[in-house]
Amino acid sequence: MIFFYNIFRLAYQSAIRLAANWNPKARKWVDGRKNRQQELRANWNVEPGQPVVWMHCASLGEFEQGRPIIEEIKTHYPNSKILLTFFSPSGYEVRKNYNGADHVMYLPMDSSANAKDFLDLVKPKLAIFVKYEFWHYYLAELNNRKIETILVSGIFRPSQAFFQWWGGFNRNMLQQFTHLFVQNATSKELLDRIGVGNKTSIAGDTRFDRVLTAAEQWKPIEIVDTFCGTDTIIVAGSTWVEDENILSDWMKPINDYKLIIAPHEIKTENINRLKTLFPKSISFSELSTHNSQPITHNCLIFDNIGYLSRLYKYASVCYVGGGFNKSGHHNILEGAVYGKPVITGPNFEKFKESVDLKKLGGSFTITNTGELKEVMLKMDISAAGTIAENYVRENAGATNSILQYIQEKRLFTNA
């Protein structure tokens, strides 16, 4: 299987380098990895006895799961040094200036030489992989060096390669971890079957801790306060075309609501498309420039990033986009934590929290405009919001479980 893995690695690199000629995201993936080892070598200095933590995240969503662990480690062990790596530009480009880490970079592509060179430079005491991302050479080299390596917020499904008759190579990667913290009992049971249950524990999902912290640190956005006034607000976050078309159709005959929409894509051409789709809309940039003028718009389009988790607090109901994509919707907990019911598209079953909240009555799924109208008419907003908030609070605590494990291992005794 190592032969096929290497073929996959080389094919992936070749394909993405080819795509970089016309695809901006692929170009960032390629350019972002140029000279990264040299840059790390020039800027990464570790004091004698200083413990190093390396956290790797695939993208932005995984970063939000790993973030509370980074911040708790920094609180309890302020002398520790944190290296944060990303695989995807959608994570790195947004969080490359995150000040909770001492250095942020793209992870060099998995290979035996890269793994050895990287670990020689970083010298981690603890390696943390978040949810997904299983890289053979990095994990094997970590294991060879007896470096504590944990998976956090892991979630597993029977369809994954680990649980197939031909998945021995994938199962071997799981054996390289010192410990696996998973989100639910189903994941634990699956890992029990393949012989890694003895190093697995159910901790839950650290995103619950992250959204609670974000809610506690919430700050108002003055311009949004002005736009909302006393009106009933729908906040639609991380939306894609399918979501936006449904919302547009729903808004046309509606006069009782205002919509705040934070699309997944904020390029100028997409913002202009949304302004056509929502004729009574204004962009956040425009409103910021002309905030002294009376507001006659019923739709505010956010054309920048970094506000979404704060925006959800202004909502009576949250619509979370991406649910018409194969990969599923974006993070519903960011709205639920404020006691807001959540609506998504139909692809929700990959997400435990979405399945749970739908059963409890705190979230709802729709496939078309008619279903959105029906949900909005029948929903008891207050009751559904209470269910959503209680669910978030009841499922917090994963970060503490992981930190307790780290403390018991006495990894930072020299900190």
Side-chain angles (χ1 to χ4, degrees):
M1 283 298 292
I2 190 67
F3 172 78
F4 294 107
Y5 180 74
N6 287 329
I7 292 294
F8 162 77
R9 288 191 307 108
L10 295 172
Y12 185 92
Q13 285 180 277
S14 299
I16 205 162
R17 287 193 176 114
L18 179 63
N21 292 312
W22 66 85
N23 185 294
K25 186 174 180 180
R27 190 176 307 119
K28 287 178 179 177
W29 191 99
V30 173
D31 291 346
R33 284 170 167 78
K34 291 178 180 177
N35 304 316
R36 284 294 165 181
Q37 292 288 72
Q38 293 89 328
E39 182 183 326
L40 179 63
R41 187 175 282 107
N43 295 291
W44 185 256
N45 298 306
V46 180
E47 299 295 330
Q50 185 178 31
V52 172
V53 179
W54 165 36
M55 175 175 284
H56 177 66
C57 307
S59 191
L60 186 59
E62 289 75 24
F63 166 76
E64 291 299 325
Q65 289 177 298
R67 182 173 179 170
I69 300 170
I70 290 177
E71 293 173 357
E72 282 297 306
I73 288 174
K74 274 294 189 182
T75 297
H76 288 79
Y77 307 102
N79 189 45
S80 60
K81 192 154 186 168
I82 309 289
L83 175 68
L84 175 64
T85 62
F86 287 97
F87 182 78
S88 166
S90 58
Y92 174 79
E93 294 299 327
V94 176
R95 293 303 181 189
K96 60 187 175 183
N97 297 316
Y98 171 59
N99 59 15
D102 296 280
H103 191 69
V104 183
M105 63 180 285
Y106 282 101
L107 182 69
M109 194 64 184
D110 192 29
S111 74
S112 179
N114 282 348
K116 289 175 181 177
D117 190 32
F118 179 82
L119 293 177
D120 284 344
L121 285 170
V122 178
K123 297 180 172 61
K125 189 85 169 180
L126 170 66
I128 305 172
F129 287 67
V130 183
K131 193 176 180 179
Y132 298 126
E133 293 285 284
F134 304 99
W135 296 113
H136 167 75
Y137 289 107
Y138 281 104
L139 289 171
E141 192 61 29
L142 285 163
N143 186 44
N144 288 341
R145 299 182 186 211
K146 308 300 180 186
I147 295 169
E148 189 79 23
T149 304
I150 63 175
L151 178 74
V152 299
S153 294
I155 190 162
F156 294 89
R157 298 183 300 277
S159 60
Q160 291 172 309
F162 310 107
F163 313 109
Q164 311 308 315
W165 65 265
W166 44 264
F169 178 78
N170 303 81
R171 289 191 286 274
N172 182 64
M173 284 193 281
L174 295 183
Q175 292 286 357
Q176 310 304 312
F177 284 93
T178 313
H179 201 83
L180 301 101
F181 292 95
V182 297
Q183 294 186 28
N184 57 19
T186 299
S187 297
K188 175 71 164 64
E189 290 166 5
L190 287 168
L191 295 176
D192 284 341
R193 294 179 199 170
I194 60 170
V196 292
N198 62 324
K199 59 170 70 177
T200 301
S201 57
I202 303 168
D205 188 344
T206 50
R207 284 182 305 161
F208 289 94
D209 304 313
R210 172 61 197 147
V211 297
L212 280 167
T213 299
E216 290 165 0
Q217 297 172 349
W218 183 86
K219 294 179 181 178
I221 306 167
E222 185 177 349
I223 293 173
V224 178
D225 281 322
T226 303
F227 172 81
C228 292
T230 58
D231 293 305
T232 305
I233 306 297
I234 306 298
V235 173
S238 302
T239 56
W240 295 68
V241 171
E242 297 88 345
D243 306 300
E244 293 149 2
N245 288 337
I246 287 174
L247 288 164
S248 175
D249 289 343
W250 175 73
M251 284 286 289
K252 284 174 184 175
I254 299 291
N255 297 310
D256 297 336
Y257 294 91
K258 282 183 177 178
L259 174 68
I260 298 174
I261 185 167
H264 176 75
E265 178 56 70
I266 61 168
K267 289 182 180 178
T268 301
E269 54 267 31
N270 193 52
I271 297 301
N272 290 337
R273 180 187 64 82
L274 287 172
K275 291 178 73 174
T276 301
L277 196 60
F278 298 94
K280 294 180 67 177
S281 64
I282 186 170
S283 72
F284 179 72
S285 297
E286 291 172 321
L287 191 60
S288 300
T289 304
H290 308 289
N291 60 1
S292 60
Q293 297 180 7
I295 296 175
T296 58
H297 308 84
N298 69 353
C299 177
L300 175 59
I301 301 170
F302 264 72
D303 51 355
N304 49 17
I305 61 175
Y307 288 92
L308 181 55
S309 64
R310 292 162 67 191
L311 289 176
Y312 282 129
K313 186 165 184 176
Y314 289 99
S316 293
V317 176
C318 300
Y319 182 102
V320 177
F324 288 88
N325 299 338
K326 184 178 179 181
S327 56
H329 59 67
H330 295 267
N331 188 357
I332 68 170
L333 300 178
E334 290 180 326
V337 70
Y338 294 113
K340 315 295 182 179
V342 178
I343 299 173
T344 74
N347 294 335
F348 69 96
E349 293 181 349
K350 288 184 178 180
F351 306 98
K352 177 182 182 297
E353 68 278 9
S354 197
V355 172
D356 289 347
L357 266 183
K358 185 175 173 65
K359 289 178 181 176
L360 292 169
S363 72
F364 307 84
T365 57
I366 56 100
T367 61
N368 54 51
T369 305
E371 290 180 5
L372 177 58
K373 290 178 180 177
E374 185 177 1
V375 166
M376 291 298 297
L377 283 171
K378 294 183 177 180
M379 182 195 306
D380 185 331
I381 292 176
S382 177
T386 299
I387 290 169
E389 182 178 3
N390 288 343
Y391 175 76
V392 174
R393 295 190 179 279
E394 289 166 3
N395 284 276
T399 302
N400 287 337
S401 297
I402 295 161
L403 192 68
Q404 183 178 353
Y405 173 88
I406 293 170
Q407 290 169 333
E408 289 173 353
K409 286 287 183 176
R410 301 180 63 81
L411 297 174
F412 302 143
T413 52
N414 294 325

